[in-house]
């Protein structure tokens, strides 16, 4: 039998729980870049787009909002509760300078996609090497 250090056991125990925060849940994000844009995708199934707020300030993207689960019976004796409700908040520092005022956000099939143009000085530049003859 393999012995685990206490931190391994701790991580393994909590890996079975959904990602939560004090205010609700923390949505997972994919962040990647192309030559001209930083793209952020986050899964927000069951959340109305009008309940989502996207802010970009100082190259930090913040996505926040809320979802409300309406039920007819408020008193339930849950054995396990993983369906989320309440607020969420997620901020990520972008790896390059961006033009936040030109960002676009779209929501389709439960996925929020934010497309943010890179600042001109953050775009890759190709430099030609000149050869000098002696």
């Amino acid at each position: 039998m393999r012995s685990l250090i206490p931190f391994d056991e701790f991580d393994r125990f909590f890996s079975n729980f959904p990602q939560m925060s004090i205010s609700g849940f923390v949505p997972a994000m994919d962040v990647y870049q192309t030559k001209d844009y930083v793209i952020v995708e986050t899964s927000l199934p069951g959340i109305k787009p009008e309940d989502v707020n996207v802010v970009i300030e100082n190259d930090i993207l913040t996505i926040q909002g809320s979802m409300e689960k309406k039920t007819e019976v408020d008193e339930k004796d849950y054995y396990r509760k993983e369906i989320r409700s309440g607020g969420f908040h997620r901020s990520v520092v972008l790896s390059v300078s961006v033009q936040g005022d030109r960002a676009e956000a779209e929501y389709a099939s439960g996925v929020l996609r934010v497309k943010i143009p890179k600042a001109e000085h953050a775009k890759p530049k190709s430099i030609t090497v000149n050869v000098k003859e002696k």
Side-chain angles (χ1 to χ4, degrees):
M1 180 174 160
R2 177 175 99 107
S3 69
L4 299 172
I5 60 173
F7 293 114
D8 287 342
E9 291 178 23
F10 184 80
D11 289 342
R12 191 171 45 115
F13 176 78
F14 282 102
S15 70
N16 294 323
F17 290 96
Q19 201 171 15
M20 299 294 289
S21 73
I22 295 171
S23 64
F25 71 99
V26 179
M29 283 185 172
D30 287 345
V31 181
Y32 59 95
Q33 60 182 321
T34 65
K35 179 183 168 208
D36 297 320
Y37 295 94
V38 174
I39 312 291
V40 179
E41 296 175 336
T42 185
S43 180
L44 300 174
I47 298 174
K48 298 175 189 170
E50 59 267 19
D51 293 337
V52 177
N53 186 28
V54 179
V55 176
I56 301 168
E57 185 175 3
N58 297 322
D59 299 329
I60 299 172
L61 170 71
T62 300
I63 299 174
Q64 60 187 11
S66 63
M67 72 177 293
E68 186 178 331
K69 181 184 171 204
K70 296 181 181 180
T71 59
E72 299 201 12
V73 179
D74 288 336
E75 295 179 22
K76 294 181 181 178
D77 186 16
Y78 285 99
Y79 174 71
R80 185 174 182 124
K81 185 172 192 237
E82 294 182 352
I83 298 175
R84 59 189 186 260
S85 64
F88 63 91
H89 179 272
R90 182 75 193 265
S91 292
V92 62
V93 176
L94 302 173
S95 60
V96 297
S97 294
V98 295
Q99 299 175 44
D101 58 333
R102 295 187 48 219
E104 299 173 3
E106 60 182 38
Y107 183 87
S109 301
V111 176
L112 175 68
R113 184 173 192 263
V114 182
K115 183 177 174 183
I116 314 156
K118 291 181 179 178
E120 283 301 317
H121 69 274
K123 292 181 182 178
K125 308 282 189 285
S126 181
I127 301 170
T128 304
V129 177
N130 296 317
V131 178
K132 281 189 161 182
E133 300 280 334
K134 285 188 177 186

